[in-house]
Amino acid sequence: MNRPNTPAFSRRALLGATAAAGVGAVVPSPAEAEAAHHRPLDQHTIDAAVRPLSDELVALRRALHEHPETSGQEQWTSATVAERLRAAGLKVTTGVGGTGVVGVLTGARPGRTVAYRADMDAVPPDGIVTGGTVPAHVCGHDLHTTIGVGVAQVLARLRHRLSGTVVFLFQPGEEALAGARAMIGAGVLDGTWASAEPPAEIHALHCGPFPVGRFAVTPGVGLPGQDQAQITLTGPDAADQAKRLVADVSALSTVAFPQTPADLEKMVADVQTPDGPLARFTVTRARAKDADAEGRVAVQVSFRCWPEERYTEVREQIRRLAQPYPGAQTVFPGEPFPALVCPAEDADALARHLRRVIDPAAATVLHAAFPFNGEDFALFLDRLPGTYTFLGVRSPGAGITSAYPHFGDFHPDERAIGLGVRAMAGWLSARTAA
C-alpha cells in the first residue's frame, strides 16, 4: 500500500530558490545573456522568476482568505484578480459567466493555446464538514486563485521567451457546480477572447491531503459526478414507509463517510492503491421531507458512483427498492452531473514532467477517486483534454483534517503556493511549446 510520506524536500526545492551571484558565481557575458534572452523557457528561469514573488503571493492568499465570497458573489475577489492580471500586462475581461475573469497572455514565440482554470469561491456554512456559521475558504480556492495569479505574473515577466498563448480562467461558482457551465456558455473555450485561438487543452490544481511538496496526478481517474432521484410515497403510513425506504437506499452505499482521522488516512491510502477498495464504489444519501398538504412524502436521493457508467445500474437498483411501496413514483430529474475523468496520457506526461523538473519524488499517482467529492471542472474536461492534479498542502506532523478540504480546521501549508506556481508555470510553458 503506497501511503504518502513526508518528502525530504529542502526549502530550495519548495520555494524555487536559486543561487545569487556572489563569490564563485559565474556571470554570463553580454553575448551569453542575449542568447539566453531568446531561448525557450526552462524551469531554472521560471524558478528564478518565482522567488521574488513569494512574499507577495503569500500576502495575496491571506487577503483572499480574509474576504471569503460564496458562489456568484465573488465581486471583491474577481476585482482583485483582474487588477493583478492587468498590472502584469494580460488582456483582461471581467464579468464572464457572472463574476468570472479571463486573462489572456500571448508569448513572443509561436505556439499552441492552452487554458488554466482557478476557482475563486468560498465554502458556505452548510458545506463545512464540522459545521460553520459564516463562509470560509476551507476548500483552498484562495490558494488556487493565488497560484493562478502567480503563474500569470511569472509567465508575463518571461513572455519574450514564452511560446503560444495561455488563457487564464478564474472561475466563480465551483461550490455550486455552476461556474464552469456559465463560463463555457460565455464562450471561454471558443477562442473569442482577445483574439486567442481556442484552447487545445486545459489544466487545474486543487489542494489535497498530501504532504507539501507532493503532487497527486490522476490518470484515468479524477472525481465522481452526481445523480439525483425523488421518490414520492402516498397513503396514511407514507411517513413510516419513507423512513424504511431511506434506510434501504442508504444501504446501497459501499463506503461510509470517514468519521475519524484514521478513516481519512485510510481513504487517502486507498485512492493510491491499484485495484484497491475504491476502484468501484457507490455512495448514496437519502432523506425524507415532511408530508405535504395531501399527505405525500418525498424521499430525496443523491448518489455518486464509480466508474461513471454505473449510474444506469444504480438507478435501476433505486427503482427496484421503491417498487414494493404502493403508489411509489420515482423520478430522475435529469442526466447525472458528469464525473471528472483525466486522460491518462496527459496525467502521465505531467507526472514525468514534475519528476524531471521539480523532484524525482514530486509526483504520486492516484488509482481511484475520492468518493465524497465532486468538481465542475468535469465540464471543461468533457470538452478538452487536460489535467486535474492535487497539490499537497499538509504540513509535516500536521493532522490530516488540516489538509483535507471542507473540514473546519483546514489550514494549508503556504509553502505549497510557490511550488504550485513553479510547477504550473513550467508545465503550461511546456504545453504551449509542445
Side-chain angles (χ1 to χ4, degrees), residues 305-340:
C305 63
W306 196 271
E308 184 178 26
E309 55 267 22
R310 292 189 55 239
Y311 277 115
T312 301
E313 169 194 336
V314 178
R315 282 188 172 197
E316 185 56 34
Q317 290 176 326
I318 291 172
R319 287 191 185 95
R320 286 200 300 268
L321 288 174
Q323 191 173 11
Y325 293 86
Q329 294 183 340
T330 303
V331 175
F332 297 92
E335 292 298 312
F337 194 90
L340 187 162

Side-chain angles (χ1 to χ4, degrees), residues 288-312:
K289 299 182 69 175
D290 294 336
D292 65 14
E294 298 179 10
R296 294 175 299 194
V297 177
V299 174
Q300 293 185 325
V301 182
S302 64
F303 54 100
R304 303 183 189 273
C305 63
W306 196 271
E308 184 178 26
E309 55 267 22
R310 292 189 55 239
Y311 277 115
T312 301

Side-chain angles (χ1 to χ4, degrees), residues 100-399:
V101 180
V102 176
V104 178
L105 174 63
T106 301
R109 305 165 65 92
R112 304 163 70 238
T113 299
V114 171
Y116 184 78
R117 195 287 309 252
D119 42 5
M120 301 188 295
D121 53 327
V123 178
D126 61 1
I128 301 173
V129 172
T130 48
T133 57
V134 295
H137 270 300
V138 293
C139 196
H141 296 191
D142 48 347
L143 266 77
H144 305 169
T145 300
T146 299
I147 290 169
V149 168
V151 172
Q153 289 176 321
V154 167
L155 293 182
R157 292 184 180 192
L158 301 171
R159 72 168 74 215
H160 58 284
R161 292 176 61 178
L162 176 67
S163 299
T165 298
V166 182
V167 180
F168 292 91
L169 308 178
F170 290 86
Q171 180 203 308
E174 188 280 325
E175 293 294 339
L177 297 180
R181 192 183 303 278
M183 292 195 83
I184 292 170
V188 297
L189 302 184
D190 300 333
T192 58
W193 301 95
S195 302
E197 292 293 323
E201 56 193 49
I202 188 166
H203 304 277
L205 285 181
H206 198 295
C207 293
F210 303 95
V212 63
R214 185 75 58 85
F215 295 84
V217 299
T218 56
V221 294
L223 290 170
Q226 183 169 282
D227 201 359
Q228 295 181 339
Q230 179 166 298
I231 307 165
T232 303
L233 304 175
T234 59
D237 57 349
D240 290 336
Q241 290 180 344
K243 291 179 182 178
R244 292 194 296 271
L245 183 56
V246 165
D248 291 342
V249 172
S250 299
L252 292 175
S253 290
T254 62
V255 56
F257 189 85
Q259 299 297 314
T260 67
D263 292 340
L264 286 171
E265 298 278 12
K266 182 178 185 304
M267 187 166 64
V268 171
D270 287 346
V271 297
Q272 297 176 83
T273 304
D275 300 317
L278 295 178
R280 180 183 175 91
F281 62 76
T282 303
V283 174
T284 57
R285 192 175 191 178
R287 69 181 184 91
K289 299 182 69 175
D290 294 336
D292 65 14
E294 298 179 10
R296 294 175 299 194
V297 177
V299 174
Q300 293 185 325
V301 182
S302 64
F303 54 100
R304 303 183 189 273
C305 63
W306 196 271
E308 184 178 26
E309 55 267 22
R310 292 189 55 239
Y311 277 115
T312 301
E313 169 194 336
V314 178
R315 282 188 172 197
E316 185 56 34
Q317 290 176 326
I318 291 172
R319 287 191 185 95
R320 286 200 300 268
L321 288 174
Q323 191 173 11
Y325 293 86
Q329 294 183 340
T330 303
V331 175
F332 297 92
E335 292 298 312
F337 194 90
L340 187 162
V341 183
C342 291
E345 179 180 359
D346 298 311
D348 288 338
L350 175 56
R352 292 191 298 270
H353 173 86
L354 293 171
R355 290 165 181 158
R356 183 176 69 253
V357 305
I358 302 295
D359 189 279
T364 191
V365 177
L366 301 194
H367 298 278
F370 287 102
F372 304 99
N373 305 89
E375 240 279 12
D376 69 353
F377 190 71
L379 299 178
F380 289 117
L381 287 182
D382 271 359
R383 296 277 300 270
L384 297 176
T387 61
Y388 181 88
T389 306
F390 290 100
L391 170 69
V393 296
R394 187 176 183 180
S395 298

